[in-house]
Amino acid sequence: YIFWTFKPFIQGFTHCRPIISIDGTHLYEKFKGKMLITTGIDAENGIFPLAYAIVDEETTASWSWFLFQLRTYIVKDRNGICLISNRHPGILNAIADESIGWSLSHAYHRYCLRHICSNFNTHFKNVQLKRAVWQAGSTHQVCKFNFVMGRIRTVNEEAWSWLSEIEKEKWTLVH
């Protein structure tokens, strides 16, 4: 594994909002593997690069290593960070490991709504329901959330059940 960050990223993160997004992507062509990336949000709501790494696969071991590097070199002693990711099992297992410093006492883990919508559409292949999931996840009012979820349930009970299995506080703004 190899991890990169730069001094301006480390110094700049102290002025960013306490929000970090992580994700992984495939590498193709000559060099295979995965690139793990992390970004923050600056004071003007812009994307602020923090670090990236090259690993062989997205596994619990590689995500644990990456999150440990992130905590050690960038986040340091700053607590109350909201870590946003997809629901990859490697990420979930790594965050559950309290020794890396991303447990509930140090950070909050939330799911990326874009990934929730994408995974939903993969399962149910319905663009209108996918839009409804986005509405449910991004609303600030409980009554609107309940209304949209009721619409989803009316159209497709299985889709509503799939969403209901995901903890609401992990993917919705209102909760």
Side-chain angles (χ1 to χ4, degrees), residues 66-85:
F66 182 70
L67 289 171
F68 180 79
Q69 304 306 314
L70 183 60
R71 173 57 84 176
T72 302
Y73 295 106
I74 297 173
V75 176
K76 301 178 183 175
D77 294 331
R78 190 171 174 186
N79 288 322
I81 301 291
C82 179
L83 182 69
I84 301 173
S85 74

Side-chain angles (χ1 to χ4, degrees), residues 15-117:
H15 305 288
C16 285
R17 298 174 189 267
I19 300 170
I20 292 177
S21 295
I22 60 172
D23 203 357
T25 188
H26 298 273
L27 297 175
Y28 298 101
E29 302 298 326
K30 184 177 179 181
F31 301 103
K32 306 292 185 215
K34 306 287 191 271
M35 183 184 324
L36 308 182
I37 59 168
T38 182
T39 59
I41 298 176
D42 67 19
E44 295 179 344
N45 288 326
I47 295 173
F48 189 85
L50 296 175
Y52 59 99
I54 305 297
V55 299
D56 54 351
E57 290 292 329
E58 284 189 78
T59 62
T60 298
S62 62
W63 276 113
S64 294
W65 174 82
F66 182 70
L67 289 171
F68 180 79
Q69 304 306 314
L70 183 60
R71 173 57 84 176
T72 302
Y73 295 106
I74 297 173
V75 176
K76 301 178 183 175
D77 294 331
R78 190 171 174 186
N79 288 322
I81 301 291
C82 179
L83 182 69
I84 301 173
S85 74
N86 61 22
R87 296 181 302 145
H88 188 281
I91 296 172
L92 300 179
N93 292 333
I95 290 170
D97 181 354
E98 293 193 21
S99 67
I100 348 184
W102 292 98
S103 60
L104 190 54
S105 59
H106 301 289
Y108 305 95
H109 182 223
R110 299 297 180 257
Y111 301 139
C112 171
L113 183 56
R114 189 191 67 74
H115 281 98
I116 295 285
C117 291

